[in-house]
Amino acid sequence: MSETGTPNRAPSAEIVLGLIPEGVSIDVLREKGIIPIAAEDGLMTVAAHSAAAAMDAQLLAMGAGMSLKLEILPQGQITSVIRALYDLKSGVEQDTLNAIESVNDLSELARQEVMSDTVDAPVIKLVNGVLLEAIKERATDIHLEPFEDKLQVRYRIDGVLSDRYELTKGHQSPVTSRIKVMAHMDIAERFVPQDGRIGITLGDRAVDIRVSSLPTQHGERIVMRLLDRARGLLSLEELGMRSEERDRLEHLIHSPHGMILLTGPTGSGKSTTLYAILQALRRPEVNIITVEDPIEYDVPGIGQVQVNEKAGVTFGTSLRSILRQDPDIIMIGEMRDFDTAHIGIQSSLTGHLVLSTLHTNDAPSAISRLADMGVEPYLIAGSLRGVVAQRLVRRICPKCKKSIPAPRAMENLYGLKRAFVGEGCDECAHTGYKGRFGLYEQFDITPEIANAISSQAPLATLRTIARQNGLRTLVELGLERVAAGDTTPEEMLRVVGEE
């Protein structure tokens, strides 16, 4: 017999897990959109988001030998509980680590949906567990590092690596082979670096994984970059810029032509900012083409070219072809050499807006970097519109933030009296930090600076002129965020350093 109750709040995933009848998988509950939430006196209460699921709920209750009471809950609550159920079962358990030793037939490593509790092969469960755990903890990279007697698994979270699992040497071969099969890499080739991609689904979420293997003394080292499509494409408003910073950048990127560079070390968020800029510039009347290595996110309405040096598709050859495609805006993934820089600058001088990245410590250093590549100073002065140097800094966890006296060195150097730290709590995995925000040093090429570049003025002179024209350095921006309680002095110094 079925009854329909009034809406209540769903119980915890631990309670629901204990109510699921034997033989019923979480995959089935997700497909049907139902969860058991209570069982008492021969009556099982099953939650669904509509009465249309009453038949499936009836079968679930019958599987436990009970009658049905149907509760209507919002779909979001049911989905949240089901995701939590997967989290409960996705941990890398010791029996999975032990059972993997018996997996010898690598042909059974078929590609499967990651968020599932019905896979049998222990190696698949192990790899799926590692991936799910990393995504749940907001990791951007997974490192599998082989040593003489172990396989170390580490996650990079908020830009910092931390140890997660230490697997035995016997796990190394099947785990590496499983990942290479998923990434469509050659599992028989172990002595040549390889690159691959994995596309996985977690319910309604799609995550792309960039895989790189590198032969080392003790076996293949695997690094996986996680690109969550649901969170990866940010708008300019979502980058965390201050309003005045965003206004300056928007004014810069709406230049009709010229070159704009983003600089910073690997992992400083340059690509994320570039994609945000492309989304801001994307319009039906504008032809935007990019050359990338690799293409990290698919942006609708934009032509994206993947560099493939084995096939002769380099940054240089692609740029020459792109100019025959009548582009208005060109994005070059990275200025790597003179050829790329020269074509990019020539394009910016002939009516195109060119966006690209460089590896430099600060914004003014981009001038000397281009000169080192062999670009003439007068070409730099005529083409460059601005440079943005950026860093990603960890944000103090709001749940456990507290005020402290500023460190003596910070007080002596910068006059800072108070600072903030995170004590560490369950919300931030006891790190004291949760999430990151950007610091953006914006260097606009004014006529005065352009004249200084043309006359080959030293870098120190360019910095002085820029400061007089309103440039705020990364250190100044970082100190402002430390004083505001957004990050700690230690984190600011770790990422930005001292002036």
Side-chain angles (χ1 to χ4, degrees):
M1 179 177 162
S2 173
E3 301 177 21
T4 302
T6 55
N8 290 310
R9 187 168 182 82
S12 67
E14 289 84 356
I15 293 174
V16 173
L17 188 62
L19 295 172
I20 299 174
E22 187 175 350
V24 177
S25 71
I26 304 172
D27 295 347
V28 171
L29 299 181
R30 184 185 70 188
E31 180 185 350
K32 304 299 183 184
I34 57 176
I35 52 171
I37 60 175
E40 188 177 5
D41 298 331
L43 190 68
M44 173 173 277
T45 305
V46 179
H49 65 85
S50 76
M55 183 61 71
D56 295 319
Q58 182 78 52
L59 292 173
L60 182 66
M62 289 173 59
M66 297 184 182
S67 300
L68 170 68
K69 178 183 178 183
L70 185 65
E71 293 277 4
I72 304 300
L73 288 180
Q75 186 169 2
Q77 284 190 30
I78 294 174
T79 301
S80 178
V81 171
I82 289 175
R83 284 183 175 170
L85 289 172
Y86 281 117
D87 289 343
L88 285 176
K89 300 193 72 174
S90 68
V92 182
E93 301 170 358
Q94 190 59 45
D95 59 347
T96 299
L97 300 184
N98 294 335
I100 195 176
E101 303 281 8
S102 63
V103 177
N104 298 314
D105 183 12
L106 296 179
S107 66
E108 64 179 300
L109 306 184
R111 182 183 177 93
Q112 303 192 27
E113 180 175 338
V114 169
M115 195 165 72
S116 174
D117 69 333
T118 57
V119 295
D120 295 322
V123 65
I124 298 179
K125 290 182 68 175
L126 173 58
V127 173
N128 288 0
V130 168
L131 293 174
L132 275 171
E133 193 77 12
I135 293 168
K136 184 176 71 174
E137 296 190 24
R138 303 174 297 104
T140 55
D141 301 85
I142 304 172
H143 290 236
L144 281 76
E145 302 168 351
F147 296 99
E148 185 176 3
D149 58 348
K150 65 181 179 180
L151 178 66
Q152 185 73 49
V153 181
R154 299 202 289 170
Y155 294 164
R156 186 180 295 279
I157 301 172
D158 292 335
V160 177
L161 275 172
S162 60
D163 293 344
R164 275 300 179 269
Y165 306 110
E166 192 173 288
L167 309 181
T168 68
K169 196 67 175 175
H171 298 138
Q172 181 178 323
S173 178
V175 167
T176 300
S177 296
R178 168 59 180 165
I179 292 170
K180 290 174 72 175
V181 166
M182 293 176 73
H184 303 287
M185 296 157 71
D186 186 354
I187 64 172
E189 181 56 77
R190 294 175 294 166
F191 303 104
V192 174
Q194 296 186 61
D195 294 307
R197 293 182 81 98
I198 301 172
I200 65 174
T201 57
L202 293 90
D204 56 351
R205 289 173 64 189
V207 179
D208 289 334
I209 303 175
R210 210 166 70 209
V211 183
S212 171
S213 72
L214 180 70
T216 67
Q217 179 183 6
H218 299 295
E220 289 178 280
R221 178 190 177 108
I222 302 284
V223 175
M224 293 180 279
R225 168 67 57 88
L226 307 178
L227 304 168
D228 189 342
R229 290 184 179 181
R231 296 191 302 178
L233 284 173
L234 303 179
S235 65
L236 286 177
E237 291 75 16
E238 294 170 325
L239 288 178
M241 287 183 167
R242 300 290 179 90
S243 59
E244 62 273 15
E245 293 173 338
R246 189 171 71 247
D247 290 343
R248 285 184 65 184
L249 181 61
E250 287 184 343
H251 176 74
L252 185 64
I253 66 176
H254 284 95
S255 302
H257 53 80
M259 186 164 66
I260 300 168
L261 296 177
L262 275 75
T263 75
T266 301
S268 59
K270 300 187 299 295
S271 295
T272 300
T273 303
L274 273 180
Y275 279 112
I277 292 172
L278 290 179
Q279 290 192 95
L281 295 175
R282 183 181 58 184
R283 300 188 304 278
E285 65 270 22
V286 175
N287 182 20
I288 303 176
I289 303 180
T290 74
V291 190
E292 305 173 61
D293 185 23
I295 295 173
E296 294 191 5
Y297 294 101
D298 182 16
V299 184
I302 292 177
Q304 296 173 270
V305 178
Q306 169 68 59
V307 169
N308 185 348
E309 295 193 358
K310 291 182 180 178
V313 184
T314 65
F315 278 107
T317 58
S318 298
L319 283 170
R320 291 187 181 92
S321 300
I322 281 174
L323 292 174
R324 294 191 286 272
Q325 293 283 317
D326 187 31
D328 298 297
I329 299 171
I330 301 170
M331 191 271 271
I332 307 169
E334 182 183 345
M335 292 280 186
R336 294 185 176 177
D337 49 38
F338 170 77
D339 195 26
T340 308
H342 185 71
I343 298 172
I345 285 178
Q346 291 295 336
S347 302
S348 70
L349 291 171
T350 53
H352 304 92
L353 180 64
V354 178
L355 309 170
S356 190
T357 68
L358 269 180
H359 289 283
T360 65
N361 289 329
D362 60 10
S365 297
I367 308 301
S368 56
R369 180 79 180 93
L370 289 171
D372 290 342
M373 287 182 179
V375 181
E376 294 291 340
Y378 72 91
L379 290 176
I380 300 173
S383 62
L384 198 60
R385 292 290 173 267
V387 184
V388 180
Q390 70 176 81
R391 297 290 189 277
L392 289 177
V393 181
R394 287 185 293 171
R395 188 186 298 275
I396 298 173
C397 174
K399 293 284 186 181
C400 58
K401 182 165 73 171
K402 71 170 185 177
S403 174
I404 60 168
R408 182 67 59 84
M410 296 290 287
E411 184 176 357
N412 293 339
L413 279 172
Y414 307 114
L416 195 68
K417 300 293 185 183
R418 302 294 296 174
F420 296 83
V421 297
E423 292 183 292
C425 63
D426 292 339
E427 186 76 17
C428 60
H430 300 280
T431 62
Y433 300 97
K434 186 172 183 182
R436 290 188 289 178
F437 61 88
L439 301 177
Y440 302 91
E441 178 184 285
Q442 299 192 49
F443 175 49
D444 297 332
I445 307 301
T446 63
E448 187 180 2
I449 290 176
N451 289 334
I453 294 171
S454 296
S455 61
Q456 302 184 39
L459 191 57
T461 302
L462 293 178
R463 286 198 181 100
T464 300
I465 298 172
R467 295 288 290 274
Q468 292 169 353
N469 290 342
L471 172 75
R472 302 185 65 208
T473 67
L474 288 167
V475 170
E476 290 172 343
L477 295 167
L479 284 171
E480 183 179 288
R481 302 303 287 266
V482 169
D486 295 328
T487 191
T488 64
E490 293 77 15
E491 175 68 5
M492 191 277 284
L493 291 174
R494 181 186 73 84
V495 175
V496 178
E498 301 177 3
E499 274 189 325

